[in-house]
Amino acid sequence: MVKKYFRYVIFFSFFIFINVQFSNAQVIEEDSVTVEDEGEPDEEEIDDSFTGYTDLHYWDFMRIPGFHFDTTMIPSTNYYPFGWDTVTINPYKEDLKEMSDTVLLHLKDSNDCMFHPPAIGELSSGFGFRAWGRRKKFHFGVDVKMEKGDPVYVIFDGVVRVAKRSADYGYVVLIRHYNGLETLYAHFYQLLTYTGAPVRSGDIIGLAGSTGHSTGPHLHFEVRFKGEKIDPNKIIYFPSGSLLDDNLQIDKSCFKHLYEVQANKLRQNRTGRYYKVHKGDTIATIAYEYGISVKHLTRLNGITAKTKLKPGRRIRVR
């Protein structure tokens, strides 16, 4: 009887240990109760150089044992000749709003590249300026309403360049496509792909969620060319989830919104603006009220996120 009891103790101890390790590997964040996305950071606040967390993730187990990335698989080397960065979301740092040439991309053909919408659902937020707190900010993608666990699809054939957990995007995937575009999918609950994975149009790369700067389950979707964002509505007709055209002409008109972003930033930075602290105020509540990140607010005032604010103190918010 004692031996039998001892065997049960060993079995359940091992079971608990395995579950704890698996939970630590996933580090899944809980969704909040609202469905609107009000937490996308400003472009200058997004940490594109964030390397992701280094603990072993569950999607690492999806790689084939002994997987080695063959550099001949790298897509669109004619547009991206400077290596294959699997960490930085935008390593290119090119200014395309004054590009002098015109590029014609063949988005879809019968041999290499087909098309599938990234998600099935209504748009909850479009590409462009939107109100956040007391200011306007630019949203560089579109948000598709989804339920937690809904599948997210690859839109064109390509190879996964980045798959990681980011401070801002949460669980995020960025894919380089053979047609020259890159697409970014953010706020996953769970990833189902890995860096270096070849993917086909219509493959499921993850399950929708609300990780990172997000206040409810949805898909944040971006289209990029050499790191700069293009309005996804120029490519996809979202009400039906169809491709607008098999070809896409890229010139400086695709990036004219960057002038508006730049002008808006200059207006906000031209004059400092201050807030008088009231009882009960915290750095987080003030940052939310004025539509800025805690990181930006603390940097403006030379304080840390743990600084206690006394009533009457003036805090710079612009």
Side-chain angles (χ1 to χ4, degrees):
M1 185 66 182
V2 173
K3 290 182 179 179
K4 184 177 180 181
Y5 174 75
F6 185 67
R7 285 199 300 271
Y8 280 124
V9 170
I10 293 176
F11 173 78
F12 283 112
S13 298
F14 179 74
F15 178 78
I16 292 171
F17 173 78
I18 292 298
N19 274 277
V20 169
Q21 295 302 313
F22 186 75
S23 297
N24 288 338
Q26 291 195 46
V27 200
I28 296 298
E29 300 177 22
E30 292 298 323
D31 294 331
S32 57
V33 295
T34 55
V35 298
E36 292 300 321
D37 169 25
E38 299 177 350
E40 295 293 342
D42 284 331
E43 176 66 10
E44 69 270 19
E45 295 168 7
I46 292 178
D47 188 2
D48 273 355
S49 63
F50 182 75
T51 59
Y53 298 93
T54 57
D55 56 326
L56 189 63
H57 293 296
Y58 55 91
W59 61 85
D60 291 320
F61 294 102
M62 300 183 64
R63 289 191 180 94
I64 301 170
F67 172 82
H68 175 73
F69 182 73
D70 185 352
T71 55
T72 60
M73 294 171 54
I74 297 176
S76 304
T77 52
N78 54 326
Y79 297 120
Y80 304 87
F82 304 112
W84 179 254
D85 192 321
T86 61
V87 172
T88 310
I89 289 177
N90 179 13
Y92 316 115
K93 308 300 181 184
E94 293 197 31
D95 184 3
L96 299 182
K97 62 180 180 293
E98 296 182 3
M99 64 183 293
S100 56
D101 55 343
T102 297
V103 177
L104 182 64
L105 300 183
H106 301 290
L107 301 182
K108 174 185 172 184
D109 61 51
S110 57
N111 297 319
D112 273 341
C113 215
M114 299 304 289
F115 169 78
H116 192 286
I120 308 300
E122 299 178 10
L123 294 188
S124 60
S125 185
F127 185 90
F129 281 106
R130 63 182 183 181
W132 190 46
R134 298 190 180 186
R135 68 167 179 164
K136 291 194 304 181
K137 60 184 299 186
F138 203 92
H139 187 230
F140 287 93
V142 296
D143 293 340
V144 184
K145 290 182 180 179
M146 304 188 76
E147 297 294 330
K148 179 179 176 180
D150 284 349
V152 175
Y153 305 93
V154 179
I155 73 166
F156 301 116
D157 298 357
V159 178
V160 176
R161 183 165 69 79
V162 177
K164 68 178 184 179
R165 180 184 173 190
S166 161
D168 302 306
Y169 287 120
Y171 292 112
V172 60
V173 172
L174 185 140
I175 298 172
R176 169 90 60 81
H177 300 288
Y178 296 108
N179 58 27
L181 294 177
E182 291 190 324
T183 52
L184 181 144
Y185 314 73
H187 305 313
F188 286 101
Y189 161 70
Q190 182 174 340
L191 298 187
L192 298 176
T193 191
Y194 55 88
T195 300
V199 290
R200 302 284 292 180
S201 171
D203 284 354
I204 297 174
I205 52 172
L207 305 180
S210 185
T211 56
H213 285 191
S214 169
T215 59
H218 71 285
L219 170 68
H220 173 76
F221 174 73
E222 295 178 5
V223 175
R224 296 173 174 232
F225 180 70
K226 295 185 177 181
E228 292 286 16
K229 289 82 168 175
I230 298 172
D231 185 353
N233 292 287
K234 292 181 178 293
I235 299 171
I236 303 170
Y237 181 64
F238 282 96
S240 63
S242 58
L243 191 66
L244 288 174
D245 199 300
D246 290 352
N247 302 300
L248 175 66
Q249 179 175 299
I250 296 180
D251 54 32
K252 63 182 180 181
S253 67
C254 294
F255 309 102
K256 61 184 180 180
H257 59 275
L258 296 177
Y259 286 107
E260 301 173 45
V261 173
Q262 189 177 49
N264 186 62
K265 191 185 301 183
L266 288 173
R267 284 194 298 270
Q268 291 182 355
N269 294 337
R270 197 150 26 224
T271 58
R273 184 174 177 182
Y274 293 84
Y275 171 79
K276 186 176 180 180
V277 176
H278 297 86
K279 185 177 180 180
D281 283 339
T282 65
I283 292 172
T285 59
I286 296 172
Y288 178 80
E289 178 68 19
Y290 284 90
I292 57 178
S293 69
V294 170
K295 179 180 177 181
H296 185 58
L297 183 63
T298 54
R299 190 167 57 231
L300 276 176
N301 292 276
I303 57 179
T304 71
K306 296 181 179 180
T307 300
K308 293 183 177 180
L309 302 178
K310 295 182 178 180
R313 178 172 179 173
R314 280 164 52 85
I315 294 291
R316 184 176 178 181
V317 293
R318 293 284 188 275

